Amino acid sequence: MSHLFDVYPLYDIEPVKAEGSYLWDTNGTKYLDLYGGHAVISVGHCHPYYVDMLSKQLHAINFYSNSVKISLQEELAEKLGDLSGYPDYKLFLVNSGAEANENALKLASFHTGRSKVVAFTKAFHGRTAGAVAATDNPSIVAPVNYNKHVTFLPFNDVDALQEGITDEVCAVIVEGIQGVGGIQVSSDEFLQALRKRCDETGAVLILDSVQCGYGRTGKFFSHQFSGIHPDLMTMAKGMGNGFPIGGVLISPKFKASYGLLGTTFGGNHMACAAGIAVLDIMKNENLLDNATEIGDYLLNGIKEIGGYKELRGRGLMIGIEYDFPVKDLRNKLLFEHKMFTGVAGANTIRLLPSLALGKLEADMFLEALRAEVTSLS
């Protein structure tokens, strides 16, 4: 009898070893990982530099609280600012994407003195109280998660912003690319209109970059394709390559004060070592360029195969929507071709591989997809 609270439907597969873009299970079976555990594995499994950084840190000091100086936090903030193109923004470190969004919403409310929030259809911002209230999925919003202050506007609808965002709104929170919502890409026009409307009303613009940030699209943040600058950016997932870490990048317009925000584990020594290692690897191995190159290669290959209803995404964040449920297709890719992929809803295959994915691995996937799509026609 299991002693675990049974909330996850599990595949009968237990990975016990990982390297690069590959996993091995208890039977020694090798799998190609094209999902990275929900976009978490950003620089590849067990990268030697990453492993060395964490091992050295573990042997030095693994934790002390934020009541003392932790110079690793400053190093992480500086490297993140430089690589992301936001050197003048400040960093607040937390443990997860949901916690990052909670703190961003709180900062926006402190800053404006308002409480109303605007989010968008198909949004997913986390499962904690404030974040889940702004998530467009009633089945995971418990009665205790008060959400009467949240309005959901149609995603990518520029015309809805004028009436939907007023001077009573504290924050507008939006994903640059919706992940759980099916790899729905925010148009440049939509993000530019959002920035303009927030400026007009004094609302704080929060770009949830938890899944679509950290180089996944070929730019550090997906909203950078549109040329806008958000007030707050939230991140997690790929930030630590598997070690729990999240953060909020905060515009200079926000004033810090002691006790305004806080966290026990956020910014701990091990998390910072993981975060620094990820940024170093991304920079030294030109992984943003690789995400663009291999992402384009995959998108072009999928277009050539055809058979889909709609193909969406940027870089290595790809959604392939079919006009049929993809459960069987995903299972064939996993059990027959030994490839991990994800889904978004019933009809969309979701690809979120390591940013270090190579052409060899891309070709392996395209060959498997071609075989399965051809068998269906």
Side-chain angles (χ1 to χ4, degrees), residues 53-71:
M53 284 277 286
L54 267 71
S55 298
K56 287 178 178 175
Q57 189 60 54
L58 185 61
H59 282 90
I61 177 173
N62 72 305
F63 179 81
Y64 206 75
S65 74
N66 283 300
S67 61
V68 299
K69 182 177 180 179
I70 302 174
S71 60

mmCIF file of all heavy atoms in Angstrom, residues 53-71:
data_model
loop_
_atom_site.group_PDB
_atom_site.id
_atom_site.type_symbol
_atom_site.label_atom_id
_atom_site.label_comp_id
_atom_site.label_asym_id
_atom_site.label_seq_id
_atom_site.Cartn_x
_atom_site.Cartn_y
_atom_site.Cartn_z
ATOM 1 N N MET A 53 30.142 22.093 -9.616
ATOM 2 C CA MET A 53 29.782 23.279 -8.832
ATOM 3 C C MET A 53 28.970 22.910 -7.604
ATOM 4 O O MET A 53 29.238 23.389 -6.487
ATOM 5 C CB MET A 53 28.975 24.250 -9.703
ATOM 6 C CG MET A 53 29.795 25.035 -10.699
ATOM 7 S SD MET A 53 30.578 26.501 -9.976
ATOM 8 C CE MET A 53 29.166 27.591 -9.792
ATOM 9 N N LEU A 54 27.990 22.045 -7.773
ATOM 10 C CA LEU A 54 27.151 21.660 -6.636
ATOM 11 C C LEU A 54 27.906 20.792 -5.641
ATOM 12 O O LEU A 54 27.731 20.926 -4.429
ATOM 13 C CB LEU A 54 25.883 20.950 -7.113
ATOM 14 C CG LEU A 54 24.682 21.883 -7.304
ATOM 15 C CD1 LEU A 54 24.873 22.775 -8.515
ATOM 16 C CD2 LEU A 54 23.384 21.113 -7.413
ATOM 17 N N SER A 55 28.781 19.918 -6.159
ATOM 18 C CA SER A 55 29.567 19.060 -5.268
ATOM 19 C C SER A 55 30.510 19.889 -4.394
ATOM 20 O O SER A 55 30.602 19.664 -3.173
ATOM 21 C CB SER A 55 30.382 18.058 -6.088
ATOM 22 O OG SER A 55 29.539 17.214 -6.834
ATOM 23 N N LYS A 56 31.191 20.845 -5.004
ATOM 24 C CA LYS A 56 32.100 21.701 -4.245
ATOM 25 C C LYS A 56 31.341 22.520 -3.207
ATOM 26 O O LYS A 56 31.796 22.685 -2.068
ATOM 27 C CB LYS A 56 32.870 22.622 -5.187
ATOM 28 C CG LYS A 56 33.947 21.905 -5.996
ATOM 29 C CD LYS A 56 34.630 22.878 -6.957
ATOM 30 C CE LYS A 56 35.749 22.177 -7.733
ATOM 31 N NZ LYS A 56 36.357 23.069 -8.753
ATOM 32 N N GLN A 57 30.172 23.030 -3.589
ATOM 33 C CA GLN A 57 29.389 23.839 -2.652
ATOM 34 C C GLN A 57 28.889 22.994 -1.489
ATOM 35 O O GLN A 57 28.878 23.438 -0.330
ATOM 36 C CB GLN A 57 28.212 24.491 -3.376
ATOM 37 C CG GLN A 57 27.481 25.522 -2.538
ATOM 38 C CD GLN A 57 28.391 26.656 -2.106
ATOM 39 O OE1 GLN A 57 29.036 27.289 -2.929
ATOM 40 N NE2 GLN A 57 28.472 26.914 -0.811
ATOM 41 N N LEU A 58 28.470 21.774 -1.782
ATOM 42 C CA LEU A 58 27.976 20.876 -0.734
ATOM 43 C C LEU A 58 29.052 20.569 0.293
ATOM 44 O O LEU A 58 28.778 20.430 1.489
ATOM 45 C CB LEU A 58 27.445 19.582 -1.362
ATOM 46 C CG LEU A 58 26.789 18.579 -0.412
ATOM 47 C CD1 LEU A 58 25.572 19.189 0.279
ATOM 48 C CD2 LEU A 58 26.371 17.330 -1.187
ATOM 49 N N HIS A 59 30.293 20.492 -0.160
ATOM 50 C CA HIS A 59 31.404 20.212 0.745
ATOM 51 C C HIS A 59 31.887 21.459 1.490
ATOM 52 O O HIS A 59 32.653 21.341 2.443
ATOM 53 C CB HIS A 59 32.574 19.590 -0.032
ATOM 54 C CG HIS A 59 32.372 18.142 -0.346
ATOM 55 N ND1 HIS A 59 31.755 17.720 -1.504
ATOM 56 C CD2 HIS A 59 32.680 17.022 0.344
ATOM 57 C CE1 HIS A 59 31.710 16.399 -1.520
ATOM 58 N NE2 HIS A 59 32.259 15.944 -0.408
ATOM 59 N N ALA A 60 31.426 22.628 1.052
ATOM 60 C CA ALA A 60 31.822 23.871 1.724
ATOM 61 C C ALA A 60 30.759 24.270 2.745
ATOM 62 O O ALA A 60 30.974 24.190 3.956
ATOM 63 C CB ALA A 60 32.034 24.973 0.695
ATOM 64 N N ILE A 61 29.622 24.724 2.287
ATOM 65 C CA ILE A 61 28.470 25.045 3.138
ATOM 66 C C ILE A 61 27.231 24.941 2.276
ATOM 67 O O ILE A 61 27.211 25.430 1.149
ATOM 68 C CB ILE A 61 28.582 26.450 3.770
ATOM 69 C CG1 ILE A 61 27.333 26.781 4.600
ATOM 70 C CG2 ILE A 61 28.848 27.528 2.720
ATOM 71 C CD1 ILE A 61 27.438 28.085 5.389
ATOM 72 N N ASN A 62 26.218 24.246 2.766
ATOM 73 C CA ASN A 62 25.039 24.051 1.928
ATOM 74 C C ASN A 62 23.881 24.964 2.305
ATOM 75 O O ASN A 62 22.982 25.187 1.495
ATOM 76 C CB ASN A 62 24.575 22.593 1.954
ATOM 77 C CG ASN A 62 23.948 22.204 3.269
ATOM 78 O OD1 ASN A 62 24.559 22.361 4.318
ATOM 79 N ND2 ASN A 62 22.726 21.694 3.244
ATOM 80 N N PHE A 63 23.872 25.521 3.529
ATOM 81 C CA PHE A 63 22.761 26.392 3.899
ATOM 82 C C PHE A 63 23.111 27.279 5.082
ATOM 83 O O PHE A 63 23.744 26.843 6.043
ATOM 84 C CB PHE A 63 21.510 25.575 4.268
ATOM 85 C CG PHE A 63 20.349 26.448 4.683
ATOM 86 C CD1 PHE A 63 19.550 27.052 3.737
ATOM 87 C CD2 PHE A 63 20.090 26.703 6.022
ATOM 88 C CE1 PHE A 63 18.506 27.897 4.109
ATOM 89 C CE2 PHE A 63 19.046 27.537 6.409
ATOM 90 C CZ PHE A 63 18.256 28.129 5.448
ATOM 91 N N TYR A 64 22.715 28.523 4.970
ATOM 92 C CA TYR A 64 22.452 29.373 6.122
ATOM 93 C C TYR A 64 21.412 30.394 5.689
ATOM 94 O O TYR A 64 21.163 30.573 4.494
ATOM 95 C CB TYR A 64 23.708 30.052 6.697
ATOM 96 C CG TYR A 64 23.490 30.362 8.158
ATOM 97 C CD1 TYR A 64 23.542 29.345 9.106
ATOM 98 C CD2 TYR A 64 23.146 31.635 8.574
ATOM 99 C CE1 TYR A 64 23.279 29.594 10.442
ATOM 100 C CE2 TYR A 64 22.878 31.892 9.908
ATOM 101 C CZ TYR A 64 22.943 30.865 10.838
ATOM 102 O OH TYR A 64 22.669 31.112 12.149
ATOM 103 N N SER A 65 20.781 31.041 6.633
ATOM 104 C CA SER A 65 19.625 31.878 6.330
ATOM 105 C C SER A 65 20.019 33.213 5.718
ATOM 106 O O SER A 65 21.199 33.591 5.690
ATOM 107 C CB SER A 65 18.807 32.124 7.600
ATOM 108 O OG SER A 65 19.484 33.057 8.434
ATOM 109 N N ASN A 66 19.023 33.966 5.302
ATOM 110 C CA ASN A 66 19.231 35.281 4.707
ATOM 111 C C ASN A 66 19.515 36.369 5.734
ATOM 112 O O ASN A 66 19.436 37.560 5.422
ATOM 113 C CB ASN A 66 18.014 35.662 3.853
ATOM 114 C CG ASN A 66 18.002 34.935 2.524
ATOM 115 O OD1 ASN A 66 18.917 35.077 1.722
ATOM 116 N ND2 ASN A 66 16.987 34.130 2.289
ATOM 117 N N SER A 67 19.881 35.962 6.938
ATOM 118 C CA SER A 67 20.291 36.929 7.952
ATOM 119 C C SER A 67 21.789 37.210 7.893
ATOM 120 O O SER A 67 22.302 38.021 8.666
ATOM 121 C CB SER A 67 19.934 36.413 9.349
ATOM 122 O OG SER A 67 20.607 35.193 9.617
ATOM 123 N N VAL A 68 22.494 36.518 6.982
ATOM 124 C CA VAL A 68 23.928 36.730 6.827
ATOM 125 C C VAL A 68 24.237 37.001 5.355
ATOM 126 O O VAL A 68 23.406 36.769 4.475
ATOM 127 C CB VAL A 68 24.737 35.498 7.298
ATOM 128 C CG1 VAL A 68 24.495 35.217 8.768
ATOM 129 C CG2 VAL A 68 24.392 34.263 6.452
ATOM 130 N N LYS A 69 25.421 37.485 5.095
ATOM 131 C CA LYS A 69 25.838 37.756 3.725
ATOM 132 C C LYS A 69 26.062 36.444 2.980
ATOM 133 O O LYS A 69 26.739 35.529 3.472
ATOM 134 C CB LYS A 69 27.123 38.579 3.731
ATOM 135 C CG LYS A 69 27.623 38.948 2.348
ATOM 136 C CD LYS A 69 28.869 39.825 2.414
ATOM 137 C CE LYS A 69 29.362 40.187 1.025
ATOM 138 N NZ LYS A 69 30.564 41.052 1.073
ATOM 139 N N ILE A 70 25.495 36.339 1.784
ATOM 140 C CA ILE A 70 25.706 35.184 0.906
ATOM 141 C C ILE A 70 26.159 35.747 -0.437
ATOM 142 O O ILE A 70 25.344 36.162 -1.267
ATOM 143 C CB ILE A 70 24.428 34.335 0.769
ATOM 144 C CG1 ILE A 70 23.949 33.842 2.139
ATOM 145 C CG2 ILE A 70 24.677 33.144 -0.171
ATOM 146 C CD1 ILE A 70 22.610 33.114 2.112
ATOM 147 N N SER A 71 27.462 35.802 -0.649
ATOM 148 C CA SER A 71 28.000 36.469 -1.839
ATOM 149 C C SER A 71 27.589 35.769 -3.131
ATOM 150 O O SER A 71 27.575 36.388 -4.204
ATOM 151 C CB SER A 71 29.526 36.567 -1.748
ATOM 152 O OG SER A 71 30.106 35.279 -1.661
#
